[in-house]
Amino acid sequence: MSRQSPSGRVTALVRVTFAYLLAIAVAVLWLLWGPATGVLWLDTLIADLLATVVIFGFSRVHHNSSFYDAYWSVIPPLLLGYWWWQSDLGVDDLRTWLLFIVVAVWAVRLTANWVGTFPGLHHEDWRYAQLRADAGRWELPVDLFAIHVIPTLQVFAGMVPAYVAVTHPAQGPTWLVVVAFLVGLSAVGLETIADGQLRRFVRSARGGDVMDRGVWGWSRHPNYFGEFSFWFSLALFGVAASPADAWWLFIGAAVMLALFEGASIPMMERRSLARRPGYQSVIDRVPRFVPRPPRAGGAVRTRR
């Protein structure tokens, strides 16, 4: 992957930052002076979609849909903070603090990882380009809905349990809050380890090398499993606040699982098979999603 000069990369990051500040400002203006629906979650959803449209506009101007990449991690803590501010729960609510810590740690880590690997606006996620190319004359609506709006709705659905957790007095057991907190932090920890191991592999890899080391020897997509586990932890926080709603509070996590299993993982696997013939041996040995020991005969190589 080619990279821009340091000054060009900084300029690109400034442009992206400006786009996000403008998007957030539009959302805030709507929440302050827009025609309120009287329903907190619906008002924030509308504001979220308006901010998404702003980012979409920047994506079109710069011919690069990767403008949207950081939206996934930037918006959730802002939603949570606004919901908490608008709720009747006080600042001494331990459950809400634990939830906020999990979301904040996840958001800071994921956003920092994006900034650290951001090569510049000359680069775009290959999946976006493929989706638009496959869409033909429907390229613009696919760009708007498939790349921008639908992911926004998916993230919002994943945040609904957090909305329940900060707008409802606790009705569930305290131990479930602790479990949710530990699951959330463990998920962020797994993603951090997976990303670090992958970066080290990329720096030393030669053409055709495949990644089957460390946590990548226990799962072909440990980063996606960690991401799903984070959203699952939010569902647990929601259940701890409102056990009666448990049957639908996992919908957001299920949507994330469907995204990974139905779109992201198949696209990544097809690309890896096309570019690295040896990847078939990884498929034969290493579990697809949930981490567990590799199959018999598939010893995981390690590199120090």
Side-chain angles (χ1 to χ4, degrees), residues 55 60 207 244:
I55 299 301
R60 299 300 293 186

Side-chain angles (χ1 to χ4, degrees), residues 118-131:
F118 178 68
L121 288 175
H122 67 289
H123 170 76
E124 181 183 37
D125 190 307
W126 61 271
R127 291 168 292 188
Y128 300 156
Q130 180 177 318
L131 283 171

Side-chain angles (χ1 to χ4, degrees), residues 201-281:
F201 168 78
V202 169
R203 285 197 297 265
S204 61
R206 296 177 293 273
D209 283 357
V210 293
M211 179 53 161
D212 59 354
R213 301 155 192 161
V215 296
W216 297 84
W218 287 55
S219 169
R220 302 202 299 273
H221 303 279
N223 50 343
Y224 287 147
F225 179 78
E227 186 68 8
F228 165 73
S229 299
F230 163 75
W231 296 104
F232 186 84
S233 76
L234 299 194
L236 294 179
F237 274 109
V239 173
S242 183
D245 295 318
W247 67 273
W248 63 266
L249 287 174
F250 289 92
I251 291 176
V255 168
M256 294 296 175
L257 182 60
L259 168 66
F260 297 144
E261 288 283 7
S264 298
I265 290 177
M267 291 179 74
M268 294 294 293
E269 302 254 279
R270 287 194 296 269
R271 189 168 190 255
S272 294
L273 282 170
R275 300 177 66 188
R276 301 177 178 86
Y279 189 69
Q280 182 60 54
S281 68

Side-chain angles (χ1 to χ4, degrees), residues 1-296:
M1 180 190 302
S2 62
R3 300 181 71 93
Q4 285 182 318
S5 65
S7 60
R9 183 172 177 272
V10 170
T11 300
L13 283 171
V14 169
R15 291 183 182 181
V16 173
T17 301
F18 174 76
Y20 278 75
L21 291 175
L22 181 60
I24 293 169
V26 168
V28 170
L29 289 174
W30 170 268
L31 291 172
L32 291 178
W33 292 294
T37 66
V39 180
L40 179 59
W41 70 263
L42 183 56
D43 287 335
T44 48
L45 174 58
I46 295 172
D48 196 4
L49 290 171
L50 289 173
T52 300
V53 171
V54 173
I55 299 301
F56 170 72
F58 277 90
S59 295
R60 299 300 293 186
V61 168
H62 289 82
H63 308 287
N64 189 336
S65 295
S66 280
F67 248 90
Y68 182 82
D69 284 349
Y71 199 86
W72 185 279
S73 57
V74 167
I75 296 302
L78 300 180
L79 288 174
L80 181 59
Y82 182 74
W83 290 336
W84 192 3
W85 179 48
Q86 292 292 313
S87 77
D88 295 326
L89 299 181
V91 295
D92 58 343
D93 187 83
L94 178 62
R95 171 174 50 96
T96 306
W97 274 110
L98 293 178
L99 169 59
F100 190 83
I101 289 171
V102 168
V103 173
V105 170
W106 166 84
V108 170
R109 190 215 72 85
L110 193 55
T111 305
N113 185 68
W114 174 82
V115 172
T117 58
F118 178 68
L121 288 175
H122 67 289
H123 170 76
E124 181 183 37
D125 190 307
W126 61 271
R127 291 168 292 188
Y128 300 156
Q130 180 177 318
L131 283 171
R132 292 198 308 271
D134 292 344
R137 63 193 182 98
W138 298 101
E139 176 264 342
L140 190 148
V142 165
D143 192 7
L144 172 60
F145 290 101
I147 299 176
H148 292 79
V149 171
I150 291 178
T152 290
L153 294 176
Q154 290 172 323
V155 169
F156 195 90
M159 286 295 295
V160 166
Y163 172 83
V164 172
V166 298
T167 57
H168 290 67
Q171 299 176 14
T174 301
W175 64 261
L176 186 56
V177 175
V178 176
V179 169
F181 180 71
L182 295 177
V183 169
L185 290 187
S186 298
V188 175
L190 176 59
E191 289 184 285
T192 303
I193 293 170
D195 286 343
Q197 291 178 346
L198 184 60
R199 281 195 298 271
R200 290 192 292 273
F201 168 78
V202 169
R203 285 197 297 265
S204 61
R206 296 177 293 273
D209 283 357
V210 293
M211 179 53 161
D212 59 354
R213 301 155 192 161
V215 296
W216 297 84
W218 287 55
S219 169
R220 302 202 299 273
H221 303 279
N223 50 343
Y224 287 147
F225 179 78
E227 186 68 8
F228 165 73
S229 299
F230 163 75
W231 296 104
F232 186 84
S233 76
L234 299 194
L236 294 179
F237 274 109
V239 173
S242 183
D245 295 318
W247 67 273
W248 63 266
L249 287 174
F250 289 92
I251 291 176
V255 168
M256 294 296 175
L257 182 60
L259 168 66
F260 297 144
E261 288 283 7
S264 298
I265 290 177
M267 291 179 74
M268 294 294 293
E269 302 254 279
R270 287 194 296 269
R271 189 168 190 255
S272 294
L273 282 170
R275 300 177 66 188
R276 301 177 178 86
Y279 189 69
Q280 182 60 54
S281 68
V282 177
I283 292 177
D284 295 338
R285 295 181 288 106
V286 180
R288 172 185 172 100
F289 187 64
V290 179
R292 61 180 185 274
R295 296 178 181 88

